[in-house]
Amino acid sequence: MKIIMLGAPGAGKGTQAKMIAGKYGIPHISTGDIFRANIKDQTELGMEAKKYMDQGLLVPDELTVKILLDRVAKDDCRNGYVLDGFPRTIPQAEVLDKAVEELNESIDFAVNVDVKDENIIKRMSGRRACLKCGATYHIEHIPPKQEGICDSCGSELVLRDDDKPETVKKRLSVYHEQTQPLIDYYNKKGILREVDGSQDMNDVFNAIVAILDGADKH
Ligand code: ADP
Ligand code: AMP
């Protein structure tokens, strides 16, 4: 099963993608996580991506598309994957379509996690991320067992540099301009499904599972 998670930054794509990956036994692929791992390791790719990420801008398509295509070509993607944060532009979506079509395959669903901008700002300021294993928490809604420490790997949790309110506003405007058009793109292909992302995370997950298991009557 090949799934794309759509939604504004902070809508809960990563939270849901991890749960989907766990339930369906497919890899969770986050281009943001790949960039952050590269920044942490101070690779050339990481240093280049950081310039854009720190300003709330998208990393250029040429760089992003390459890392995504390399990742989905790996063996663990043979039974599918859940993409979180890719595609973010129409050209990225077109490259993905082409790559999937070349394998005579198709994307099953593009799930749009819908959350209003006001709620996004609140979510981002409370988000805490583990840069080691990619786990994400929220200081109020989804707290770790021990404050500031990752439940999964015991590393220290941080407020991402790009989750500061000024950068979040920029990221939201970039989202509306460059990424939101993908909703229409996938709607026209007949694979768009919408979920209300302002619900409790387990309710959002149940709505997604109903869609993926075909119980959804759209
Ligand atoms: P995205 O991957 O779309 O940027 P995340 O999954 O990282 O978003 O979620 C953003 C923040 O909101 C995180 O702090 C996360 O713990 C929290 N969060 C995710 N889903 C929910 C939810 N349904 N209700 C409340 N908070 C949530
Ligand atoms: P995320 O973790 O998905 O919120 O991504 C964090 C940041 O990484 C974004 O604000 C972008 O700067 C960059 N990024 C992640 N995925 C992409 C993508 N598909 N295209 C361009 N930039 C991306």
Side-chain angles (χ1 to χ4, degrees):
M1 183 149 51
K2 296 189 182 62
I3 305 158
I4 292 171
M5 302 303 292
L6 294 177
K13 300 182 296 298
T15 303
Q16 296 300 327
K18 288 184 189 94
M19 294 164 86
I20 295 168
K23 181 173 167 74
Y24 296 94
I26 50 178
H28 161 219
I29 301 179
S30 155
T31 37
D33 282 352
I34 297 174
F35 288 136
R36 280 184 290 278
N38 275 274
I39 293 173
K40 193 161 172 275
D41 295 343
Q42 301 193 330
T43 67
E44 209 175 304
L45 168 71
M47 295 303 96
E48 185 61 19
K50 187 172 166 33
K51 289 190 217 157
Y52 299 92
M53 291 167 75
D54 283 353
Q55 297 180 65
L57 300 173
L58 295 185
V59 177
D61 285 345
E62 310 82 78
L63 278 184
T64 311
V65 156
K66 188 179 177 316
I67 61 160
L68 191 278
L69 292 181
D70 287 350
R71 180 62 189 88
V72 296
K74 296 222 160 93
D75 274 359
D76 64 336
C77 291
R78 239 179 287 157
N79 292 327
Y81 42 75
V82 50
L83 299 186
D84 157 22
F86 187 101
R88 263 178 157 105
T89 63
I90 299 276
Q92 290 182 12
E94 289 169 347
V95 170
L96 177 65
D97 275 346
K98 191 162 163 272
V100 171
E101 277 160 21
E102 274 168 13
L103 299 170
N104 280 325
E105 293 175 356
S106 56
I107 306 285
D108 297 279
F109 294 109
V111 178
N112 183 38
V113 184
D114 185 39
V115 176
K116 304 245 168 323
D117 285 10
E118 310 83 271
N119 296 343
I120 295 278
I121 311 258
K122 282 188 214 140
R123 279 198 187 175
M124 305 289 252
S125 57
R127 170 156 65 183
R128 293 296 178 271
C130 174
L131 297 183
K132 181 145 185 251
C133 75
T136 307
Y137 303 85
H138 189 282
I139 48 176
E140 279 169 43
H141 308 301
I142 308 168
K145 293 195 184 78
Q146 195 188 336
E147 199 184 316
I149 303 293
C150 178
D151 291 352
S152 313
C153 74
S155 300
E156 197 189 340
L157 299 176
V158 298
L159 173 68
R160 279 167 43 179
D161 284 344
D162 60 348
D163 279 352
K164 307 208 164 107
E166 323 76 75
T167 319
V168 169
K169 285 194 190 128
K170 179 69 195 167
R171 291 169 68 197
L172 274 174
S173 76
V174 166
Y175 165 76
H176 289 302
E177 222 173 88
Q178 302 192 56
T179 307
Q180 211 171 7
L182 290 175
I183 295 178
D184 197 38
Y185 179 92
Y186 288 112
N187 196 18
K188 286 196 176 121
K189 289 186 178 285
I191 59 167
L192 180 77
R193 300 291 184 274
E194 299 268 3
V195 292
D196 174 4
S198 62
Q199 311 170 83
D200 174 86
M201 83 171 180
N202 292 315
D203 293 334
V204 180
F205 186 57
N206 289 337
I208 295 176
V209 169
I211 291 167
L212 303 185
D213 288 351
D216 177 61
K217 306 281 181 243
H218 273 278

